[in-house]
Amino acid sequence: MADQSKGVKLYGTSFNGHTTMVECALRLKGVAYEYVEEDRKNKSEALLKLNPVHKQVPVLVVDGKPIAESQIILQHIDDVWKDPPHLPEDPYKRAKVRFWVDFVNKKVVPIMHTIVTLKGDEQKTAADEFGGYLQTMEDGIREELWTGGPFINGDNPGLLDVVMGSSYTWIKFIEAVAGVKLAKREETPLLCSSMEAFVELDAVKELMTPPEVLLQSRGNPGAKTTETSDD
Ligand SMILES: N[C@@H](CCC(=O)N[C@@H](CS)C(=O)NCC(=O)O)C(=O)O
């Protein structure tokens, strides 16, 4: 049972993957928190004071002490609320999980942002690049981390599941925007099945914004529909 003695506040924005990751981690640990919605275009004085360096969400405040940057926050959550652990016990495997989380931040997330700003062939090329990154991750995870599922972390979701699972609805969103299938079960079965298992978890289900709602919120009139059913 999580220690509920700490006052926990999360400053975030809706339709934001970084905020979703932090909320998922808190909920999986059973941590009660107060959520404060920020307006990206009109940031509150409180947020600017809590994150004067980057002036961004998410910011987690624990007992009045702010922590910024989603990956640092996720690590802090696992340090403070140890049960259930979000990293493997083995130091080498922990490093491997951190490696792939870093890969998501350096490669996967930036290309996701790029895809939605492009059109036509350029968008297709970026979508192919994205698919290549998923394949690279799939191969690495299979070799270094996979123990039979249902999650990348094993029987229970871990840090990489939080990061990838929170991205699942965005992957579906990009599939709809670009009109291509990105998460292909026949090519990346471990990633597909672990992300699907993650988004179905009771603790996080309601945080997963359906892709069609993301499409509306992003006002993407050029969005095409695509075959996103499981194959
Ligand atoms: N590296 C940061 C990125 C967070 C981020 O991109 N936050 C966006 C959410 S949309 C933000 O606050 N944007 C407002 C701004 O940059 O002014 C993290 O991992 O927490």
Side-chain angles (χ1 to χ4, degrees):
M1 185 68 187
D3 173 8
Q4 299 293 4
S5 63
K6 298 178 194 305
V8 182
K9 227 171 175 175
L10 174 65
Y11 290 75
T13 53
S14 303
F15 312 127
N16 171 237
H18 294 107
T19 301
T20 307
M21 284 177 201
V22 174
E23 286 205 271
C24 285
L26 289 169
R27 292 193 184 199
L28 290 169
K29 299 269 186 181
V31 178
Y33 62 96
E34 181 189 341
Y35 176 76
V36 182
E37 175 76 11
E38 277 291 326
D39 179 351
R40 252 172 276 191
K41 297 199 179 105
N42 185 21
K43 294 167 193 164
S44 71
E45 282 303 314
L47 177 74
L48 299 176
K49 220 166 141 188
L50 292 166
N51 188 4
V53 177
H54 296 299
K55 304 178 176 60
Q56 288 184 322
V57 291
V59 175
L60 186 73
V61 185
V62 183
D63 282 345
K65 290 184 268 184
I67 304 128
E69 288 296 302
S70 56
Q71 300 317 311
I72 313 274
I73 297 171
L74 292 175
Q75 181 63 66
H76 186 70
I77 291 171
D78 202 40
D79 287 344
V80 174
W81 294 279
K82 296 191 185 302
D83 193 31
H86 282 176
L87 282 165
E89 243 180 81
D90 175 59
Y92 185 67
K93 287 201 164 182
R94 290 165 85 89
K96 287 294 174 186
V97 169
R98 289 186 177 122
F99 174 86
W100 289 113
V101 169
D102 185 59
F103 180 83
V104 173
N105 283 316
K106 287 185 177 150
K107 298 287 189 188
V108 180
V109 171
I111 197 77
M112 284 167 92
H113 287 166
T114 304
I115 291 170
V116 287
T117 64
L118 298 174
K119 294 221 179 314
D121 285 350
E122 282 184 340
Q123 192 176 58
K124 281 260 184 291
T125 304
D128 284 348
E129 196 178 328
F130 175 85
Y133 291 146
L134 281 192
Q135 189 66 61
T136 302
M137 278 190 82
E138 172 88 9
D139 296 343
I141 285 166
R142 182 190 302 282
E143 195 179 317
E144 298 160 357
L145 294 169
W146 193 254
T147 56
F151 301 102
I152 300 169
N153 191 51
D155 288 337
N156 298 299
L159 184 60
L160 202 44
D161 293 290
V162 167
V163 170
M164 287 309 292
S166 304
S167 307
Y168 185 68
T169 184
W170 288 98
I171 293 173
K172 294 286 156 196
F173 163 73
I174 292 167
E175 286 182 341
V177 169
V180 292
K181 184 112 172 95
L182 294 173
K184 296 178 189 154
R185 186 179 281 283
E186 66 277 14
E187 288 171 12
T188 53
L190 306 188
L191 279 178
C192 286
S193 65
S194 57
M195 288 191 290
E196 283 162 11
F198 185 88
V199 297
E200 285 305 318
L201 286 167
D202 285 342
V204 303
K205 220 177 198 168
E206 68 168 15
L207 298 173
M208 302 300 150
T209 313
E212 53 276 17
V213 176
L214 292 176
L215 279 165
Q216 276 168 8
S217 80
R218 295 276 160 146
N220 195 329
K224 306 169 207 162
T225 46
T226 183
E227 186 52 60
T228 55
S229 60
D230 292 334
D231 34 344

